[in-house]
Amino acid sequence: MSDHLAIDGGTPVRSAPLPPSWLGAYEMGVEEEEAVLKVLREKRVFRYIAKEESETARLEKAVAEFTGRDYALAVNSGTAALICALVGLDIGPGDEVIVPGYTYIATAAAVVTVGAVPVIAEVDNSLTLDPQDFERKITGLTRAVIPVHMRGTPCRMDEICAIAKKHGIRVIEDTAQANGGKYKGKTLGGIGDVGCYSYQMSKTITAGEGGMVVTGDRLVFERILMAHDSAFGFWKPDETAIRPIPGEGFRISEVSGAIALVQMGRLRGIVERLHEAKYRIVNQIRGLAGITLQDVPDESGDASVCLMFFAPDAETANAYAKALNAEGVPCGTMFSKEIPDRHIYPNWTYVLEKRGRSSNWSPWHPSVYKGSVEYSKDMCPKTLDYLGRTIHIGLSPKLTAADSDDIARAIRKVVTALAR
Ligand SMILES: *Cc1c(COP(=O)(O)O)cnc(C)c1O
């Protein structure tokens, strides 16, 4: 009876809804309220009014400590953090930056925004940057690589950093989706030359909007500071070693800084609960015939925002996803030609069409760009194949052990019934 799939009229494994896969956003409580009210009551919504004791400065201190980096700057988004990282490393027109074909479009957009050319590389069975394809895509113009710890998964940092070092390429970690994750004991975002985080609402911890840049290099940090504010370089000219460069309007609000500081205190707990829930499920479906688990380069450091596994082909993946939803486990496949998901490179329209921010000029203009990068919707077939076969289940820190067991039971039931 219980083996009869819900999609065929059987009893679903779950009738009660699972907790929605919001993370820090659903953990907000009186602490966040108090932090915001304190800033409002003291009438200091601008962080630089009381620099030393500002909530934002305390947040930066906490993140610097957490990542083991000397320097951290809060900004108003993850995209801003990436732009600051690129400017910090003096990357601009004429330069190539390698990005994975599976990441939010913001990663590639940041490269285009600073006038550099994004070069798209494959992901492998970890659904993060394939080190071999990264190395293959290096040219004489490559200045940096942006490994993206997608969906909580730590990238293959040993291989990526070794290749980068060999070729004199800088490493910017996009940690927007993996805050609190680790790789071989090191905090994600604190491994490469610069690390970037986002505090947008869908991320592990959030202030609604916000971002963070960390680095261990003083001169890079000075450029980052100047990149985030058009006048920063003039404030304390005696304290900076470099001459001012033009910057943007990327300052964070003290209100956001205050919220993010409280959320930072929740980060470890959120990731611990996610990890426990995820691996409770994983341990019940390891070796299940009909699926292959995503290869997570360091399971103990997995930020565990979701569970992903592969079906043998896209058609089976769709069938699994449909049946799992009927069993009461909301999930989806990752890539279909009909859905223009901006996390997958064929849908990065302005990159594929080489369109910059001015009608007179773009990063691909021969006035500065001497390379020969080309784009097409099928340029990374391995990436599309993996994503087309991926089933994605969003997780929540509010999952109970019984919830996790239900998810595992639904997966076993569906896969056992439908595997060919
Ligand atoms: C969310 C996200 C960003 C951008 O962050 P925003 O705060 O939305 O600007 C960049 N990269 C990845 C991988 C993301 O998921």
Side-chain angles (χ1 to χ4, degrees):
M1 174 66 185
S2 72
D3 289 333
H4 196 42
L5 292 180
I7 202 170
D8 297 328
T11 311
V13 169
R14 261 317 271 211
S15 43
L18 288 161
S21 50
W22 292 106
L23 307 168
Y26 268 37
E27 304 278 315
M28 285 188 176
V30 286
E31 295 84 354
E32 281 85 350
E33 289 174 25
E34 284 304 321
V36 170
L37 288 175
K38 184 169 167 237
V39 168
L40 294 179
R41 285 181 187 131
E42 294 174 9
K43 298 183 171 41
R44 48 177 185 85
V45 287
F46 180 59
R47 66 162 297 189
Y48 290 115
I49 281 184
K51 196 173 178 185
E52 291 322 314
E53 33 136 354
S54 87
E55 313 297 311
T56 306
R58 287 172 58 203
L59 168 69
E60 290 166 346
K61 223 182 270 173
V63 174
E65 209 167 279
F66 186 71
T67 54
R69 287 307 200 203
D70 286 342
Y71 309 106
L73 176 73
V75 289
N76 56 12
S77 75
T79 309
L82 287 165
I83 294 171
C84 287
L86 289 158
V87 175
L89 293 171
D90 198 7
I91 288 164
D95 299 332
E96 287 181 353
V97 177
I98 296 176
V99 302
Y102 174 46
T103 175
Y104 186 45
I105 190 171
T107 315
V111 176
V112 178
T113 298
V114 302
V117 167
V119 173
I120 303 171
E122 297 267 24
V123 299
D124 61 20
N125 61 351
S126 66
L127 295 177
T128 65
L129 184 67
D130 174 359
Q132 284 180 359
D133 200 48
F134 156 42
E135 185 155 36
R136 219 175 287 131
K137 300 258 157 90
I138 294 171
T139 73
L141 301 175
T142 312
R143 292 283 318 285
V145 61
I146 311 185
V148 185
H149 307 294
M150 275 304 270
R151 308 305 298 131
T153 311
C155 296
R156 302 189 194 283
M157 292 307 287
D158 279 351
E159 291 87 339
I160 291 166
C161 291
I163 294 164
K165 193 170 171 200
K166 187 168 103 187
H167 295 272
I169 291 166
R170 311 305 286 271
V171 177
I172 298 170
E173 289 178 82
D174 183 338
T175 317
Q177 298 196 7
N179 201 348
K182 290 186 175 205
Y183 177 77
K184 300 192 177 174
K186 292 185 203 151
T187 302
L188 299 183
I191 302 169
D193 294 285
V194 185
C196 299
Y197 303 86
S198 165
Y199 300 128
Q200 184 267 339
M201 186 172 167
S202 63
K203 319 297 178 176
T204 305
I205 56 171
T206 181
E209 299 282 5
M212 182 69 72
V213 206
V214 299
T215 184
D217 186 316
R218 176 70 212 176
L219 291 182
V220 170
F221 190 61
E222 287 187 8
R223 292 182 61 90
I224 289 171
L225 285 167
M226 293 178 191
H228 108 293
D229 182 295
S230 56
F232 202 94
F234 305 109
W235 291 4
K236 294 183 177 171
D238 300 341
E239 290 179 19
T240 49
I242 60 166
R243 303 272 299 147
I245 54 170
E248 312 239 9
F250 290 161
R251 291 189 311 260
I252 193 171
S253 157
E254 177 75 346
V255 177
S256 305
I259 299 171
L261 176 62
V262 176
Q263 288 261 304
M264 188 63 201
R266 303 191 191 277
L267 180 59
R268 264 182 236 270
I270 291 173
V271 173
E272 269 171 28
R273 281 180 285 142
L274 283 167
H275 193 276
E276 198 182 316
K278 172 165 179 177
Y279 285 89
R280 191 177 172 97
I281 304 168
V282 166
N283 289 331
Q284 297 179 61
I285 60 169
R286 268 191 217 280
L288 178 63
I291 58 168
T292 310
L293 290 174
Q294 173 204 18
D295 182 42
V296 177
D298 180 357
E299 285 194 352
S300 65
D302 188 348
S304 304
V305 303
C306 72
L307 169 68
M308 295 191 285
F309 53 87
F310 305 114
D313 52 66
E315 198 188 328
T316 312
N318 283 322
Y320 286 170
K322 218 168 146 193
L324 274 168
N325 278 295
E327 298 297 338
V329 176
C331 68
T333 56
M334 299 293 278
F335 174 62
S336 100
K337 287 201 170 90
E338 289 74 46
I339 302 165
D341 179 352
R342 306 297 167 194
H343 293 83
I344 305 178
Y345 77 89
N347 301 313
W348 301 348
T349 314
Y350 48 75
V351 175
L352 267 59
E353 294 173 6
K354 297 187 177 176
R355 201 157 46 251
R357 297 204 290 180
S358 145
S359 43
N360 294 327
W361 189 84
S362 84
W364 297 271
H365 196 274
S367 60
V368 286
Y369 181 55
K370 306 303 174 199
S372 58
V373 74
E374 292 298 341
Y375 307 101
S376 71
K377 284 190 184 231
D378 54 5
M379 63 186 290
C380 293
K382 215 169 83 173
T383 297
L384 299 185
D385 174 60
Y386 278 124
L387 292 171
R389 297 191 286 120
T390 303
I391 290 113
H392 174 282
I393 302 175
L395 301 176
S396 158
K398 297 199 188 299
L399 286 167
T400 64
D403 293 336
S404 297
D405 292 347
D406 280 346
I407 295 173
R409 194 137 38 89
I411 295 170
R412 295 191 68 92
K413 180 182 171 187
V414 162
V415 171
T416 307
L418 298 181
R420 275 170 282 167

